[in-house]
Amino acid sequence: MRPVRTAFAGALLGTLVLAGCGQTGTTATPETTAPAPATSTAEGFPVSIEAANGKVTITKKPERIVSLSATHTETLFAIGAGPQVVAVDDNSNYPPEAPKTDLSGFKPNVEAIVAKKPDLVIVSDDLDKVVAELGKLNVPVLLEPAATKLDEAYEEITELGAATGNKAKAEEVVSGMKAAMDKLAAAAPKDKKLTYYHELDQTPYAATSQTFIGQIYGLFGLTNIADKAPDAAGGYPKLSAEFVAQADPDLIFLADVKCCQQNKDTLAKRPGWKDLSAIKDDRVILLDDDIASRWGPRVVQLAETIGAAVTKAGAS
């Protein structure tokens, strides 16, 4: 059974943001212990998924999926499972056509979830023991936690493809992501030894190289100033304004733009920051908060933004 992984910034610091504003390869295998109707067999069902909550067997292609994870909502629509999704949580804001409801991924209400009559529920956190509670009602649940590395993100996309009867499309999405990420990383100039600071919120919380987001930056040969921060072992250290000022990063990436209206001008007003190299040289990059906190298919867009900033800085 795959262990539950440490939550990525979007889940770990979700309440902060709101207040302030495994293994690699597919683990899906066809179930052979019981025969399935001909229509299901043709679609690859029954199928078993080795998720973080153990082996989950899905007997037929789901037609009423509920997603309580913004990342997994994005993935479901990217792999062609959108028409099967009947409800998503209140943080699932992409794509626009996703059937957004008042269901909460942070405070899951089992009664409200069951009222949607789901034949599959997908979550990224087992908050309030929602997996077990839904299990008591015989509702299949896949617990697919926040990825800690790219291979885990690819794995989860592949698993969701198998679980929803969209295996081929999911594999196509993963293949495209891998090719795009490899191309972007190969094109980035790595001889400049650039340093960077990635801000989660204006507290400020940052992310180290050991986190999922930190590993994305690592593909571009960047050095993370947060790695030397006190109490960085958890992956998301709370930095002081003085620490960032002394580190004077070449690049600053802000993931608190939509939630907290941060930009180059607001940074310049912080004590000791107006003379930072990144601010004076116009190397403050405004990220999309959502894309920067999720680990689904749009991680390629995040990498494109990082790559463009690195290329621009390398050329100057």
Side-chain angles (χ1 to χ4, degrees), residues 18-315:
L18 290 173
C21 358
Q23 67 236 24
T24 61
T26 178
T27 54
T29 55
E31 183 66 54
T32 57
T33 56
T39 53
S40 292
T41 302
E43 297 168 341
F45 290 90
V47 67
S48 290
I49 309 295
E50 287 292 344
N53 55 318
K55 183 178 179 180
V56 179
T57 298
I58 302 169
T59 58
K60 62 180 181 178
K61 183 175 180 177
E63 297 179 351
R64 298 188 60 82
I65 300 172
V66 170
S67 171
L68 299 182
S69 163
T71 294
H72 297 323
T73 295
E74 293 190 13
T75 295
L76 289 167
F77 278 81
I79 65 175
Q84 300 160 253
V85 179
V86 296
V88 301
D89 71 295
D90 54 3
N91 280 318
S92 289
N93 55 6
Y94 186 89
E97 63 268 27
K100 188 174 181 178
T101 68
D102 59 359
L103 291 176
S104 173
F106 289 108
K107 293 181 178 290
N109 182 314
V110 172
E111 183 177 322
I113 296 169
V114 172
K116 303 296 182 181
K117 299 180 180 179
D119 50 13
L120 178 63
V121 175
I122 299 170
V123 299
S124 56
D125 291 284
D126 187 17
L127 299 174
D128 296 333
K129 299 181 179 179
V130 64
V131 174
E133 292 302 311
L134 288 172
K136 293 176 182 178
L137 301 173
N138 297 316
V139 177
V141 184
L142 283 181
L143 173 57
E144 298 284 1
T148 61
K149 54 187 177 182
L150 267 173
D151 282 345
E152 289 179 355
Y154 298 148
E155 175 190 30
E156 290 191 355
I157 294 170
T158 303
E159 289 179 347
L160 290 184
T164 62
N166 297 277
K167 187 172 183 290
K169 179 61 177 176
E171 291 174 347
E172 179 184 324
V173 169
V174 169
S175 178
M177 290 176 66
K178 288 180 177 179
M181 297 295 282
D182 289 345
K183 183 177 180 180
L184 288 167
K190 300 180 178 64
D191 57 343
K192 297 291 183 178
K193 306 299 181 183
L194 298 170
T195 60
Y196 79 96
Y197 160 57
H198 175 91
E199 180 169 291
L200 295 172
D201 73 6
Q202 71 272 36
T203 305
Y205 273 95
T208 70
S209 297
Q210 300 307 308
T211 62
F212 179 86
I213 188 72
Q215 291 174 41
I216 301 299
Y217 284 106
L219 296 175
F220 297 90
L222 299 176
T223 298
N224 191 342
I225 68 165
D227 290 347
K228 294 184 178 180
D231 301 319
Y236 301 99
K238 180 179 180 180
L239 307 181
S240 66
E242 293 77 15
F243 178 90
V244 177
Q246 289 176 6
D248 192 17
D250 297 306
L251 295 158
I252 294 178
F253 295 88
L254 299 179
D256 51 0
V257 177
K258 292 193 295 187
C259 77
C260 315
Q261 293 76 53
Q262 296 303 293
N263 53 50
K264 185 176 72 172
D265 293 335
T266 62
L267 295 189
K269 295 177 182 178
R270 297 181 188 180
W273 283 37
K274 66 182 179 64
D275 292 324
L276 288 181
S277 299
I279 293 177
K280 292 195 298 183
D281 297 336
D282 196 23
R283 292 180 179 175
V284 176
I285 297 90
L286 307 185
L287 301 175
D288 181 301
D289 301 20
D290 296 328
I291 295 176
S293 65
R294 298 172 187 174
W295 60 97
R298 289 201 295 168
V299 71
V300 173
Q301 294 181 34
L302 172 63
E304 289 173 345
T305 301
I306 295 171
V310 172
T311 298
K312 180 179 179 181

